[in-house]
Amino acid sequence: MKTLTRAVLTLVAILGFCGISQAQVALTQTTTASAVSGPAYYSGTSVQIDQVVFLASVTGISAPSLPGSPVSVIYVGREAMGVFTVNTNLKSVGVFRGYLGTQAAPHPSGDMVLISNNYSGVTSAFGGNPVPSGFFTSDPSYAATCTPSGTPTTPWVNVLTGAQWTCSALTSTWAPSWDNPLSTPSSWIQTGTVASGTTITPSGPYFNISGTTAIATFTLPIGFNSSEGGCFTANPTGIWTWTAAGNIATAGTVTAATTPVTFCWNVASLKWIPSRLS
């Protein structure tokens, strides 16, 4: 019975990865609640490293019911950690450090933590561990064909480099996303179109905004590290304005369609700074 159950679960995961599944699900995100110890990269030291990590939230993180591969994996500062215990009262997780071929390292309090629970059925080259959906040890082929419904989790995260990718709803190809060195004007692929509204979420570093509704708040998207900052560029397909009523520093307007405007996150003021006002 156990063998049959395992086979069924594996088949479901593989079918989901091939696109015969429910709608795409975003990775969840939280932050570290305190600093995490670990050796400096390539230091050659063998200092004590934390095996318990305190988080701002443990919602959505699960522990395995039986010994074996973790059900949940967290990713912080280019280190993947397999979760084997969860304490909801202390908001802490017991972890395997340096999971999926990554290296244990120190992490500051407030650092971004990405969480994956859904396994893709793909096997990692590192120790034969199954890879959680969204976490991989390589990049997808740049601009290769993909379908949003065929990728069970977004974004695609290369845990060895931190580079993120998303399947573009406009081009059906892989587009560089947050923390990706290929996400530059010379290699931009639009990730999708978002309708303007009082509060909207950027779909990637470069995307379209349609409609004419004034925007007051850009929600920080999954995969965007608010403690480090970053920028996105919006290409307007309609004439919309933005206000200073939410988390945008200064009000302005796009004035003309197809004239992009860039917004950069200020980690001190916790506001988006526009590249222009008109």
Side-chain angles (χ1 to χ4, degrees):
M1 178 63 69
K2 291 182 178 179
T3 301
L4 177 59
T5 300
R6 188 180 300 111
V8 170
L9 291 175
T10 300
L11 178 60
V12 169
I14 292 173
L15 289 176
F17 193 70
C18 294
I20 311 174
S21 67
Q22 296 178 349
Q24 187 183 63
V25 176
L27 295 174
T28 52
Q29 183 171 323
T30 186
T31 59
T32 53
S34 60
V36 181
S37 69
Y41 284 119
Y42 311 113
S43 64
T45 61
S46 57
V47 300
Q48 183 70 29
I49 64 173
D50 291 331
Q51 300 297 331
V52 174
V53 177
F54 292 88
L55 303 174
S57 171
V58 294
T59 300
I61 303 177
S62 302
S65 57
L66 296 173
S69 297
V71 175
S72 297
V73 176
I74 63 174
Y75 183 66
V76 51
R78 298 191 184 181
E79 180 187 357
M81 307 178 193
V83 176
F84 60 89
T85 63
V86 179
N87 187 317
T88 56
N89 292 324
L90 296 177
K91 296 182 181 179
S92 65
V93 291
V95 295
F96 296 107
R97 298 290 301 273
Y99 199 56
L100 297 177
T102 62
Q103 179 176 336
H107 309 289
S109 178
D111 206 1
M112 178 181 72
V113 179
L114 292 174
I115 304 163
S116 179
N117 293 300
N118 304 312
Y119 280 88
S120 64
V122 180
T123 300
S124 168
F126 299 93
N129 296 312
V131 179
S133 292
F135 292 167
F136 298 90
T137 54
S138 63
D139 292 326
S141 297
Y142 177 68
T145 300
C146 62
T147 58
S149 62
T151 54
T153 312
T154 186
W156 171 308
V157 182
N158 182 338
V159 296
L160 301 184
T161 66
Q164 299 180 40
W165 300 79
T166 187
C167 183
S168 170
L170 296 177
T171 65
S172 295
T173 59
W174 288 105
S177 190
W178 313 112
D179 289 332
N180 193 318
L182 291 179
S183 183
T184 61
S186 62
S187 61
W188 271 341
I189 297 176
Q190 293 172 323
T191 53
T193 298
V194 179
S196 61
T198 304
T199 300
I200 67 172
T201 303
S203 63
Y206 182 46
F207 66 104
N208 294 335
I209 298 181
S210 63
T212 59
T213 304
I215 301 169
T217 297
F218 289 111
T219 301
L220 273 63
I222 296 297
F224 184 90
N225 193 336
S226 61
S227 65
E228 295 181 355
C231 305
F232 68 83
T233 296
N235 180 58
T237 59
I239 308 299
W240 43 266
T241 61
W242 62 90
T243 74
N247 65 355
I248 305 174
T250 312
T253 179
V254 298
T255 66
T258 70
T259 304
V261 57
T262 298
F263 294 84
C264 293
W265 181 251
N266 186 308
V267 297
S269 66
L270 304 182
K271 297 278 189 177
W272 292 103
I273 311 298
S275 61
R276 60 183 176 85
L277 302 182
S278 61

PDB file of all heavy atoms in Angstrom, residues 79-106:
ATOM      1  N   GLU A  79      21.085  30.031   0.781  1.00  0.00           N
ATOM      2  CA  GLU A  79      21.175  28.758   1.505  1.00  0.00           C
ATOM      3  C   GLU A  79      19.790  28.148   1.615  1.00  0.00           C
ATOM      4  O   GLU A  79      18.848  28.785   2.092  1.00  0.00           O
ATOM      5  CB  GLU A  79      21.756  28.938   2.906  1.00  0.00           C
ATOM      6  CG  GLU A  79      21.850  27.613   3.659  1.00  0.00           C
ATOM      7  CD  GLU A  79      22.270  27.744   5.113  1.00  0.00           C
ATOM      8  OE1 GLU A  79      22.546  28.886   5.547  1.00  0.00           O
ATOM      9  OE2 GLU A  79      22.318  26.716   5.809  1.00  0.00           O
ATOM     10  N   ALA A  80      19.658  26.908   1.149  1.00  0.00           N
ATOM     11  CA  ALA A  80      18.418  26.155   1.316  1.00  0.00           C
ATOM     12  C   ALA A  80      18.512  25.351   2.609  1.00  0.00           C
ATOM     13  O   ALA A  80      19.582  24.842   2.964  1.00  0.00           O
ATOM     14  CB  ALA A  80      18.187  25.226   0.132  1.00  0.00           C
ATOM     15  N   MET A  81      17.409  25.249   3.332  1.00  0.00           N
ATOM     16  CA  MET A  81      17.356  24.492   4.582  1.00  0.00           C
ATOM     17  C   MET A  81      16.131  23.595   4.565  1.00  0.00           C
ATOM     18  O   MET A  81      15.008  24.066   4.356  1.00  0.00           O
ATOM     19  CB  MET A  81      17.282  25.442   5.790  1.00  0.00           C
ATOM     20  CG  MET A  81      18.366  26.499   5.854  1.00  0.00           C
ATOM     21  SD  MET A  81      18.150  27.591   7.293  1.00  0.00           S
ATOM     22  CE  MET A  81      19.292  28.931   6.880  1.00  0.00           C
ATOM     23  N   GLY A  82      16.345  22.322   4.775  1.00  0.00           N
ATOM     24  CA  GLY A  82      15.237  21.382   4.863  1.00  0.00           C
ATOM     25  C   GLY A  82      14.650  21.395   6.268  1.00  0.00           C
ATOM     26  O   GLY A  82      15.386  21.283   7.256  1.00  0.00           O
ATOM     27  N   VAL A  83      13.346  21.544   6.374  1.00  0.00           N
ATOM     28  CA  VAL A  83      12.683  21.670   7.677  1.00  0.00           C
ATOM     29  C   VAL A  83      12.294  20.288   8.198  1.00  0.00           C
ATOM     30  O   VAL A  83      11.653  19.508   7.492  1.00  0.00           O
ATOM     31  CB  VAL A  83      11.427  22.560   7.563  1.00  0.00           C
ATOM     32  CG1 VAL A  83      10.684  22.621   8.891  1.00  0.00           C
ATOM     33  CG2 VAL A  83      11.819  23.957   7.099  1.00  0.00           C
ATOM     34  N   PHE A  84      12.677  19.991   9.459  1.00  0.00           N
ATOM     35  CA  PHE A  84      12.257  18.714  10.046  1.00  0.00           C
ATOM     36  C   PHE A  84      11.416  18.886  11.305  1.00  0.00           C
ATOM     37  O   PHE A  84      10.778  17.945  11.754  1.00  0.00           O
ATOM     38  CB  PHE A  84      13.459  17.796  10.309  1.00  0.00           C
ATOM     39  CG  PHE A  84      14.497  18.343  11.254  1.00  0.00           C
ATOM     40  CD1 PHE A  84      14.399  18.137  12.623  1.00  0.00           C
ATOM     41  CD2 PHE A  84      15.591  19.035  10.777  1.00  0.00           C
ATOM     42  CE1 PHE A  84      15.353  18.629  13.486  1.00  0.00           C
ATOM     43  CE2 PHE A  84      16.555  19.527  11.639  1.00  0.00           C
ATOM     44  CZ  PHE A  84      16.440  19.330  13.005  1.00  0.00           C
ATOM     45  N   THR A  85      11.373  20.092  11.913  1.00  0.00           N
ATOM     46  CA  THR A  85      10.454  20.359  13.016  1.00  0.00           C
ATOM     47  C   THR A  85       9.935  21.786  12.892  1.00  0.00           C
ATOM     48  O   THR A  85      10.609  22.664  12.345  1.00  0.00           O
ATOM     49  CB  THR A  85      11.127  20.209  14.403  1.00  0.00           C
ATOM     50  OG1 THR A  85      12.179  21.174  14.538  1.00  0.00           O
ATOM     51  CG2 THR A  85      11.670  18.810  14.601  1.00  0.00           C
ATOM     52  N   VAL A  86       8.718  22.010  13.410  1.00  0.00           N
ATOM     53  CA  VAL A  86       8.113  23.339  13.412  1.00  0.00           C
ATOM     54  C   VAL A  86       7.523  23.608  14.791  1.00  0.00           C
ATOM     55  O   VAL A  86       6.763  22.794  15.326  1.00  0.00           O
ATOM     56  CB  VAL A  86       6.984  23.459  12.357  1.00  0.00           C
ATOM     57  CG1 VAL A  86       6.362  24.852  12.391  1.00  0.00           C
ATOM     58  CG2 VAL A  86       7.512  23.149  10.968  1.00  0.00           C
ATOM     59  N   ASN A  87       7.894  24.745  15.397  1.00  0.00           N
ATOM     60  CA  ASN A  87       7.341  25.158  16.689  1.00  0.00           C
ATOM     61  C   ASN A  87       6.506  26.410  16.450  1.00  0.00           C
ATOM     62  O   ASN A  87       7.043  27.503  16.238  1.00  0.00           O
ATOM     63  CB  ASN A  87       8.467  25.443  17.688  1.00  0.00           C
ATOM     64  CG  ASN A  87       7.949  25.701  19.103  1.00  0.00           C
ATOM     65  OD1 ASN A  87       6.968  26.409  19.300  1.00  0.00           O
ATOM     66  ND2 ASN A  87       8.622  25.113  20.076  1.00  0.00           N
ATOM     67  N   THR A  88       5.192  26.247  16.449  1.00  0.00           N
ATOM     68  CA  THR A  88       4.311  27.372  16.145  1.00  0.00           C
ATOM     69  C   THR A  88       4.281  28.402  17.272  1.00  0.00           C
ATOM     70  O   THR A  88       4.006  29.584  17.023  1.00  0.00           O
ATOM     71  CB  THR A  88       2.879  26.882  15.869  1.00  0.00           C
ATOM     72  OG1 THR A  88       2.415  26.118  16.994  1.00  0.00           O
ATOM     73  CG2 THR A  88       2.836  26.025  14.613  1.00  0.00           C
ATOM     74  N   ASN A  89       4.548  27.992  18.514  1.00  0.00           N
ATOM     75  CA  ASN A  89       4.545  28.928  19.638  1.00  0.00           C
ATOM     76  C   ASN A  89       5.764  29.855  19.583  1.00  0.00           C
ATOM     77  O   ASN A  89       5.646  31.072  19.777  1.00  0.00           O
ATOM     78  CB  ASN A  89       4.523  28.181  20.974  1.00  0.00           C
ATOM     79  CG  ASN A  89       3.215  27.447  21.205  1.00  0.00           C
ATOM     80  OD1 ASN A  89       2.156  27.933  20.830  1.00  0.00           O
ATOM     81  ND2 ASN A  89       3.287  26.270  21.803  1.00  0.00           N
ATOM     82  N   LEU A  90       6.929  29.283  19.304  1.00  0.00           N
ATOM     83  CA  LEU A  90       8.158  30.072  19.242  1.00  0.00           C
ATOM     84  C   LEU A  90       8.416  30.631  17.850  1.00  0.00           C
ATOM     85  O   LEU A  90       9.338  31.419  17.663  1.00  0.00           O
ATOM     86  CB  LEU A  90       9.355  29.216  19.669  1.00  0.00           C
ATOM     87  CG  LEU A  90       9.354  28.708  21.113  1.00  0.00           C
ATOM     88  CD1 LEU A  90      10.580  27.823  21.351  1.00  0.00           C
ATOM     89  CD2 LEU A  90       9.335  29.872  22.094  1.00  0.00           C
ATOM     90  N   LYS A  91       7.601  30.206  16.874  1.00  0.00           N
ATOM     91  CA  LYS A  91       7.809  30.587  15.471  1.00  0.00           C
ATOM     92  C   LYS A  91       9.234  30.236  15.035  1.00  0.00           C
ATOM     93  O   LYS A  91       9.987  31.069  14.524  1.00  0.00           O
ATOM     94  CB  LYS A  91       7.533  32.070  15.248  1.00  0.00           C
ATOM     95  CG  LYS A  91       6.084  32.467  15.493  1.00  0.00           C
ATOM     96  CD  LYS A  91       5.859  33.946  15.218  1.00  0.00           C
ATOM     97  CE  LYS A  91       4.412  34.322  15.483  1.00  0.00           C
ATOM     98  NZ  LYS A  91       4.169  35.760  15.257  1.00  0.00           N
ATOM     99  N   SER A  92       9.573  28.978  15.271  1.00  0.00           N
ATOM    100  CA  SER A  92      10.910  28.502  14.926  1.00  0.00           C
ATOM    101  C   SER A  92      10.812  27.200  14.152  1.00  0.00           C
ATOM    102  O   SER A  92       9.810  26.486  14.224  1.00  0.00           O
ATOM    103  CB  SER A  92      11.758  28.290  16.179  1.00  0.00           C
ATOM    104  OG  SER A  92      11.213  27.246  16.982  1.00  0.00           O
ATOM    105  N   VAL A  93      11.868  26.898  13.394  1.00  0.00           N
ATOM    106  CA  VAL A  93      11.948  25.641  12.647  1.00  0.00           C
ATOM    107  C   VAL A  93      13.299  24.993  12.894  1.00  0.00           C
ATOM    108  O   VAL A  93      14.327  25.674  12.958  1.00  0.00           O
ATOM    109  CB  VAL A  93      11.744  25.871  11.129  1.00  0.00           C
ATOM    110  CG1 VAL A  93      10.308  26.267  10.830  1.00  0.00           C
ATOM    111  CG2 VAL A  93      12.699  26.934  10.586  1.00  0.00           C
ATOM    112  N   GLY A  94      13.283  23.682  13.082  1.00  0.00           N
ATOM    113  CA  GLY A  94      14.519  22.913  13.124  1.00  0.00           C
ATOM    114  C   GLY A  94      14.867  22.512  11.706  1.00  0.00           C
ATOM    115  O   GLY A  94      14.000  22.034  10.959  1.00  0.00           O
ATOM    116  N   VAL A  95      16.115  22.703  11.300  1.00  0.00           N
ATOM    117  CA  VAL A  95      16.463  22.569   9.890  1.00  0.00           C
ATOM    118  C   VAL A  95      17.741  21.763   9.668  1.00  0.00           C
ATOM    119  O   VAL A  95      18.589  21.640  10.551  1.00  0.00           O
ATOM    120  CB  VAL A  95      16.642  23.964   9.233  1.00  0.00           C
ATOM    121  CG1 VAL A  95      15.337  24.728   9.212  1.00  0.00           C
ATOM    122  CG2 VAL A  95      17.726  24.766   9.944  1.00  0.00           C
ATOM    123  N   PHE A  96      17.840  21.217   8.438  1.00  0.00           N
ATOM    124  CA  PHE A  96      19.084  20.700   7.897  1.00  0.00           C
ATOM    125  C   PHE A  96      19.742  21.867   7.167  1.00  0.00           C
ATOM    126  O   PHE A  96      19.181  22.390   6.194  1.00  0.00           O
ATOM    127  CB  PHE A  96      18.841  19.555   6.900  1.00  0.00           C
ATOM    128  CG  PHE A  96      18.202  18.333   7.510  1.00  0.00           C
ATOM    129  CD1 PHE A  96      16.870  18.032   7.246  1.00  0.00           C
ATOM    130  CD2 PHE A  96      18.920  17.484   8.326  1.00  0.00           C
ATOM    131  CE1 PHE A  96      16.276  16.903   7.777  1.00  0.00           C
ATOM    132  CE2 PHE A  96      18.335  16.353   8.872  1.00  0.00           C
ATOM    133  CZ  PHE A  96      17.006  16.054   8.603  1.00  0.00           C
ATOM    134  N   ARG A  97      20.922  22.296   7.590  1.00  0.00           N
ATOM    135  CA  ARG A  97      21.588  23.426   6.955  1.00  0.00           C
ATOM    136  C   ARG A  97      22.290  22.985   5.668  1.00  0.00           C
ATOM    137  O   ARG A  97      22.694  21.832   5.502  1.00  0.00           O
ATOM    138  CB  ARG A  97      22.618  24.039   7.913  1.00  0.00           C
ATOM    139  CG  ARG A  97      22.031  24.609   9.203  1.00  0.00           C
ATOM    140  CD  ARG A  97      21.210  25.857   8.970  1.00  0.00           C
ATOM    141  NE  ARG A  97      21.980  26.934   8.353  1.00  0.00           N
ATOM    142  CZ  ARG A  97      22.695  27.829   9.040  1.00  0.00           C
ATOM    143  NH1 ARG A  97      22.731  27.786  10.363  1.00  0.00           N
ATOM    144  NH2 ARG A  97      23.344  28.784   8.393  1.00  0.00           N
ATOM    145  N   GLY A  98      22.447  23.929   4.740  1.00  0.00           N
ATOM    146  CA  GLY A  98      23.167  23.647   3.502  1.00  0.00           C
ATOM    147  C   GLY A  98      22.504  22.570   2.669  1.00  0.00           C
ATOM    148  O   GLY A  98      23.165  21.685   2.121  1.00  0.00           O
ATOM    149  N   TYR A  99      21.183  22.641   2.501  1.00  0.00           N
ATOM    150  CA  TYR A  99      20.411  21.638   1.770  1.00  0.00           C
ATOM    151  C   TYR A  99      20.510  21.887   0.267  1.00  0.00           C
ATOM    152  O   TYR A  99      20.840  22.993  -0.184  1.00  0.00           O
ATOM    153  CB  TYR A  99      18.960  21.720   2.242  1.00  0.00           C
ATOM    154  CG  TYR A  99      18.107  20.515   1.965  1.00  0.00           C
ATOM    155  CD1 TYR A  99      18.465  19.251   2.415  1.00  0.00           C
ATOM    156  CD2 TYR A  99      16.905  20.638   1.266  1.00  0.00           C
ATOM    157  CE1 TYR A  99      17.656  18.155   2.178  1.00  0.00           C
ATOM    158  CE2 TYR A  99      16.088  19.550   1.026  1.00  0.00           C
ATOM    159  CZ  TYR A  99      16.469  18.308   1.484  1.00  0.00           C
ATOM    160  OH  TYR A  99      15.664  17.220   1.242  1.00  0.00           O
ATOM    161  N   LEU A 100      20.229  20.869  -0.532  1.00  0.00           N
ATOM    162  CA  LEU A 100      20.216  20.960  -1.994  1.00  0.00           C
ATOM    163  C   LEU A 100      21.534  21.480  -2.580  1.00  0.00           C
ATOM    164  O   LEU A 100      21.559  22.213  -3.563  1.00  0.00           O
ATOM    165  CB  LEU A 100      19.060  21.855  -2.467  1.00  0.00           C
ATOM    166  CG  LEU A 100      17.646  21.380  -2.140  1.00  0.00           C
ATOM    167  CD1 LEU A 100      16.619  22.413  -2.608  1.00  0.00           C
ATOM    168  CD2 LEU A 100      17.360  20.020  -2.765  1.00  0.00           C
ATOM    169  N   GLY A 101      22.641  21.118  -1.951  1.00  0.00           N
ATOM    170  CA  GLY A 101      23.948  21.491  -2.484  1.00  0.00           C
ATOM    171  C   GLY A 101      24.371  22.905  -2.175  1.00  0.00           C
ATOM    172  O   GLY A 101      25.388  23.372  -2.696  1.00  0.00           O
ATOM    173  N   THR A 102      23.607  23.618  -1.342  1.00  0.00           N
ATOM    174  CA  THR A 102      23.990  24.978  -0.973  1.00  0.00           C
ATOM    175  C   THR A 102      24.924  24.949   0.230  1.00  0.00           C
ATOM    176  O   THR A 102      25.155  23.900   0.837  1.00  0.00           O
ATOM    177  CB  THR A 102      22.752  25.835  -0.652  1.00  0.00           C
ATOM    178  OG1 THR A 102      22.062  25.267   0.483  1.00  0.00           O
ATOM    179  CG2 THR A 102      21.806  25.882  -1.840  1.00  0.00           C
ATOM    180  N   GLN A 103      25.462  26.107   0.613  1.00  0.00           N
ATOM    181  CA  GLN A 103      26.415  26.183   1.707  1.00  0.00           C
ATOM    182  C   GLN A 103      25.821  26.946   2.879  1.00  0.00           C
ATOM    183  O   GLN A 103      25.224  28.010   2.696  1.00  0.00           O
ATOM    184  CB  GLN A 103      27.702  26.892   1.247  1.00  0.00           C
ATOM    185  CG  GLN A 103      28.748  27.017   2.360  1.00  0.00           C
ATOM    186  CD  GLN A 103      30.038  27.635   1.865  1.00  0.00           C
ATOM    187  OE1 GLN A 103      30.340  27.579   0.685  1.00  0.00           O
ATOM    188  NE2 GLN A 103      30.805  28.212   2.768  1.00  0.00           N
ATOM    189  N   ALA A 104      26.000  26.410   4.078  1.00  0.00           N
ATOM    190  CA  ALA A 104      25.550  27.106   5.280  1.00  0.00           C
ATOM    191  C   ALA A 104      26.323  28.407   5.424  1.00  0.00           C
ATOM    192  O   ALA A 104      27.524  28.472   5.167  1.00  0.00           O
ATOM    193  CB  ALA A 104      25.765  26.229   6.508  1.00  0.00           C
ATOM    194  N   ALA A 105      25.624  29.476   5.810  1.00  0.00           N
ATOM    195  CA  ALA A 105      26.233  30.792   5.912  1.00  0.00           C
ATOM    196  C   ALA A 105      25.453  31.616   6.924  1.00  0.00           C
ATOM    197  O   ALA A 105      24.310  31.288   7.258  1.00  0.00           O
ATOM    198  CB  ALA A 105      26.239  31.489   4.548  1.00  0.00           C
ATOM    199  N   PRO A 106      26.034  32.702   7.443  1.00  0.00           N
ATOM    200  CA  PRO A 106      25.287  33.572   8.364  1.00  0.00           C
ATOM    201  C   PRO A 106      24.246  34.401   7.626  1.00  0.00           C
ATOM    202  O   PRO A 106      24.423  34.745   6.453  1.00  0.00           O
ATOM    203  CB  PRO A 106      26.388  34.464   8.957  1.00  0.00           C
ATOM    204  CG  PRO A 106      27.463  34.487   7.919  1.00  0.00           C
ATOM    205  CD  PRO A 106      27.426  33.141   7.255  1.00  0.00           C
TER     206      PRO A 106
END
